[in-house]
Amino acid sequence: MDASEYIKELKQKVVTLKQEMACEEEEEEAGALLKHSSSPSPTVTVETLAGAAGHGFVINVLSDKSCPGLLVSILEAFDELGLSLHQATASCADTFRLEAIGGEMQNQVDNVDEHVVKQAVLQAIRTCSSQGCRQQQE
């Protein structure tokens, strides 16, 4: 009889432990989702402007996080693509926001499309962010 009671208690403990483990896993998954969704992910949109002198782009960049040198990195990416900047508005306080109008330089032979511009800007942001993290660690 004592052994039977002991086995029932053990079975109840197993059920309780499984429930606790399931609750902990749910909390970890919810925490991971929250961490992932709240992480700063930059938004980059690029639209093509067609005109008589070739074509240009309207570029909008919005990031929840600003790092030192981010604007310079993006402008260098424009330069590498052969884009000239006609007009820009930037804000780099706590968040980073850039609205720019640029066009291909006249001596630029290769046509640059929206996708290429967007990828170059995203790469500049990733590069700047990783350099900023390394500088903070040093």
Side-chain angles (χ1 to χ4, degrees):
M1 190 70 150
D2 287 339
S4 176
E5 292 278 335
Y6 183 68
I7 291 172
K8 285 181 183 177
E9 286 178 20
L10 289 176
K11 286 183 178 181
Q12 183 59 39
K13 285 183 180 181
V14 168
V15 169
T16 304
L17 288 173
K18 284 183 178 180
Q19 289 174 345
E20 288 176 4
M21 286 174 41
C23 287
E24 287 178 6
E25 287 177 2
E26 288 177 5
E27 288 174 1
E28 288 175 6
E29 289 175 4
L33 285 174
L34 181 61
K35 183 186 256 187
H36 179 60
S37 65
S38 65
S39 66
S41 58
T43 304
V44 178
T45 58
V46 180
E47 298 174 27
T48 302
L49 295 174
H55 67 276
F57 300 97
V58 176
I59 301 124
N60 288 299
V61 180
L62 177 61
S63 178
D64 295 339
K65 194 175 181 181
S66 181
C67 69
L70 182 56
L71 180 60
V72 172
S73 293
I74 293 173
L75 295 177
E76 287 174 347
F78 289 169
D79 190 47
E80 288 173 11
L81 291 174
L83 295 178
S84 61
L85 195 60
H86 301 299
Q87 180 180 347
T89 304
S91 171
C92 310
D94 294 329
T95 61
F96 179 84
R97 178 184 221 76
L98 172 67
E99 298 172 356
I101 299 174
E104 292 181 349
M105 293 183 193
Q106 291 183 5
N107 61 357
Q108 184 70 18
V109 178
D110 298 291
N111 286 330
V112 178
D113 66 1
E114 294 174 8
H115 180 72
V116 172
V117 174
K118 183 174 182 175
Q119 291 307 311
V121 171
L122 287 170
Q123 182 60 44
I125 293 169
R126 283 191 292 269
T127 301
C128 184
S129 295
S130 67
Q131 289 175 351
C133 291
R134 274 190 251 127
Q135 288 174 355
Q136 288 176 356
Q137 291 173 352
E138 293 176 353

